[in-house]
Every structure is written in structure tokens, then in C-alpha cells.
Amino acid sequence: MIKHKIDVYTLIKSEIHKLRNVGIETANLDCRLLLTKSLKLNKTLHNHQNVNISDNEFKNFKNFIRERLSGKPVSRIINKKNFWDNEFELNEDTLDPRPDSETLIDAVLCHFKSKTQILKILDLGSGTGCLGLSLLKEYPYSEASFLDISKKSLEIVKINSLNFGFSDRSKFVNLDWRDENWVANLIKIENKTKFDVIISNPPYIPTEDIKNLQKEVKEYDPFIALNGGEDGLQAYQLIIPKLKNIMNKNGKIFFEIGKGQENCITKLAAVYGLFPQEYRKDLSGVIRVITFIIK
């Protein structure tokens, strides 16, 4: 197999222009990530680097570019996404981790300032595990249970926890919060141990709004991870009534929410004895996370 030595920018320059011409603002980064994937390298390439590339590897790179031009997200082509300074593997059953969700990590760090404390964490609807595993990185003496309806999703959490060295502090729970008995089953699995931190980024997009989302979202994120029902609040209506049964007295709940949902979710939570301690905005100024406590 003959390989040719060439600098990265020369190799990707024409492909950058193709992506920019269809409005992809991250064209340079996308090309470097896809070239890295083509060469099966572990670290993302930079423009100034020289690489050795075969004709077959270049062909693979061009195929990846075609997928990107069709609207497929880079994360779905390489099956990886960065979140909170870690690279998470993903699959077709997991939501693509978003920067907005890092707001939730910030909120937990604000409310639990000591990194040495021992916390029992529950990640409800864990997806890739990006939220719970990021907290295990921040709190090295803590443990997390990852609950998800999808067995394929939990397999990805297992892989990510193993990659980060957190598998000994992780538990994987295949339950569906639409099941009336999900909390009773969880209590059995946890041997009646309650949680100090409950985190969740549940589906919160109203069903009819999904068709208006960006192509990268509506066609490549799993529908079940987006669909919040008719008003976008279905998951909260199923989860919130049960939470006091699994929370420690001084525990806190951190919910990611959709734009403009804070009032409805706060009113719902109050009915079940949960009250807001903080509303936290994302980088766009949208209230993205509510912190609840028991009163």
C-alpha cells in the first residue's frame, strides 16, 4: 500500500470550501475530524501537521465528506462527541451530547462544592452517560447509577465508563419511567439506598415541533430522546411525582428543560413537594436548568 506524505491543510482545503458552500460553519474542524477518522488516529489532526495517507484512506475521507454534505453530523459519522473535556462514544440509540447540557454540570458543581464528598448520583435517561460520567470525573469518591429505557444506550454508557476508568463506580439500570413500577423496581435494585443528586435531560420537544428542527437533529437523533409529547412536558409529568421516594432529605434534583418551560415545570414540581432553588441560564441566555430541593 503506497502512502503519500502531505500537509493536512493542503489535503483538506478543497473539502473545506465544499462544506462552507452549503453553510457549514465548522468546515475546517469537520474536515480534520473526518480525516482523523479516515487515518484511524486517536488525536484530532491540525492544519499544520504532515500525514502519510494512502489512496484508499483518501477515498474513505472523501466518502465521509459526502456524508457530511448530505447533512449527517460529524458525530454520527465518527460515532464520537466531545463533552466536558471528554470524548464520548455514541450510537443510534443515544442523543448527541450538546454544549447546553454542560449548564447542568456547572449547576451541580455550584451546589456541591467539595469534590471529596461521597455522592450517590442518579442519571435519569442517561443516553451516552455524558452527564453522570462527567460528574464522576469531578467527584472521584462518588458513585452513579445510569437509568435508561434502551439496552443499546446502556451498552454505550458501559463502554464510556470503561474508557474513563469509572466502571467500578457505575451501575447500569434498564428501566422505563413510563412503567408505573419503575421507582419500586429501582429501590429494589439499589437495596433501598437513596440519592443525593438526581440529574436528568429528558425529552422535552413537543411532538409537532420535531419536524421543524434542524435536519442534523430530527433525522439523526433518536425520536424517543426528543419527543416530549404533545406539550413537551410528558417526561417531567412521569418522573417528578416519584422523586421524593428516592431522594435523600438534603438531596437535589437538576433538570435540563426546554425554552420557556420553567414555569410549567416549577408548578408541577410544587404539587409534589419539590421547590426551585435556582434557575440557571445557558450561554444563549435561556433558562436551561432548574435545581429543585425538598421542603
Side-chain angles (χ1 to χ4, degrees):
M1 180 173 60
I2 299 174
K3 292 207 173 193
H4 311 280
K5 189 172 185 178
I6 188 170
D7 71 275
V8 168
Y9 187 69
T10 298
L11 187 62
I12 68 175
K13 184 177 180 180
S14 62
E15 309 308 312
I16 291 173
H17 289 307
K18 290 178 184 177
L19 295 184
R20 284 181 177 160
N21 285 339
V22 297
I24 297 175
E25 296 179 0
T26 56
N28 186 291
L29 175 61
D30 289 4
C31 285
R32 289 187 286 113
L33 288 168
L34 295 176
L35 182 60
T36 301
K37 169 77 170 177
S38 304
L39 295 175
K40 298 180 180 179
L41 301 175
N42 293 323
K43 291 186 177 181
T44 304
L45 290 165
H46 294 280
N47 288 338
H48 67 274
Q49 291 179 261
N50 291 318
V51 294
N52 292 306
I53 187 168
S54 68
D55 291 339
N56 193 50
E57 288 166 337
F58 185 66
K59 182 180 178 181
N60 289 337
F61 171 62
K62 298 278 279 188
N63 287 336
F64 290 150
I65 292 293
R66 277 192 281 274
E67 287 188 84
R68 186 70 185 101
L69 286 167
S70 75
K72 190 172 186 178
V74 170
S75 58
R76 297 296 175 182
I77 300 172
I78 67 175
N79 289 319
K80 291 181 180 180
K81 184 69 176 286
N82 282 323
F83 181 89
W84 203 255
D85 294 331
N86 281 315
E87 189 171 64
F88 288 82
E89 294 196 26
L90 54 147
N91 63 16
E92 67 279 3
D93 274 36
T94 60
L95 189 72
D96 200 335
R98 306 287 202 284
D100 283 344
S101 296
E102 294 187 351
T103 307
L104 190 148
I105 305 299
D106 283 327
V108 177
L109 292 174
C110 178
H111 287 269
F112 294 88
K113 295 186 183 298
S114 173
K115 299 292 186 70
T116 59
Q117 61 191 306
I118 300 172
L119 299 172
K120 180 69 173 173
I121 301 165
L122 174 62
D123 187 345
L124 279 174
S126 53
T128 60
C130 65
L131 294 176
L133 291 171
S134 295
L135 291 178
L136 288 184
K137 178 182 178 182
E138 297 292 337
Y139 299 97
Y141 302 103
S142 296
E143 298 180 350
S145 294
F146 299 87
L147 185 152
D148 206 281
I149 186 176
S150 167
K151 291 181 179 179
K152 285 187 177 180
S153 176
L154 288 172
E155 287 300 319
I156 285 292
V157 186
K158 289 178 184 178
I159 291 169
N160 286 324
S161 67
L162 188 63
N163 289 344
F164 302 149
F166 300 155
S167 56
D168 61 330
R169 296 192 283 132
S170 301
K171 184 182 290 186
F172 313 99
V173 182
N174 182 215
L175 290 175
D176 181 356
W177 60 51
R178 296 173 299 184
D179 182 345
E180 179 66 26
N181 297 315
W182 75 270
V183 162
N185 291 329
L186 178 62
I187 290 171
K188 290 179 184 177
I189 291 168
E190 296 290 346
N191 294 318
K192 299 184 179 180
T193 301
K194 295 188 176 184
F195 296 93
D196 305 298
V197 176
I198 298 177
I199 55 175
S200 187
N201 176 19
Y204 53 70
I205 309 295
T207 307
E208 282 300 306
D209 291 354
I210 293 175
K211 62 187 178 185
N212 299 320
L213 297 176
Q214 291 177 307
K215 181 179 180 180
E216 293 184 1
V217 178
K218 66 184 178 183
E219 292 191 10
Y220 295 100
D221 274 325
F223 181 79
I224 194 172
L226 298 172
N227 182 30
E230 185 177 352
D231 58 2
L233 302 175
Q234 184 181 69
Y236 304 99
Q237 293 162 347
L238 293 169
I239 294 170
I240 286 175
K242 307 280 190 177
L243 292 184
K244 285 184 73 172
N245 297 323
I246 55 174
M247 279 184 66
N248 280 324
K249 184 178 179 181
N250 296 318
K252 297 187 180 184
I253 302 160
F254 301 83
F255 270 123
E256 180 169 333
I257 66 170
K259 185 177 181 180
Q261 294 179 334
E262 60 271 14
N263 290 335
C264 290
I265 293 171
T266 298
K267 289 177 183 177
L268 172 66
V271 173
Y272 297 97
L274 305 176
F275 296 90
Q277 190 174 32
E278 182 194 23
Y279 297 93
R280 185 170 286 252
K281 295 179 180 180
D282 63 20
L283 294 175
S284 300
V286 173
I287 293 176
R288 186 61 61 190
V289 173
I290 309 178
T291 303
F292 288 104
I293 57 173
I294 298 175
K295 284 188 179 179

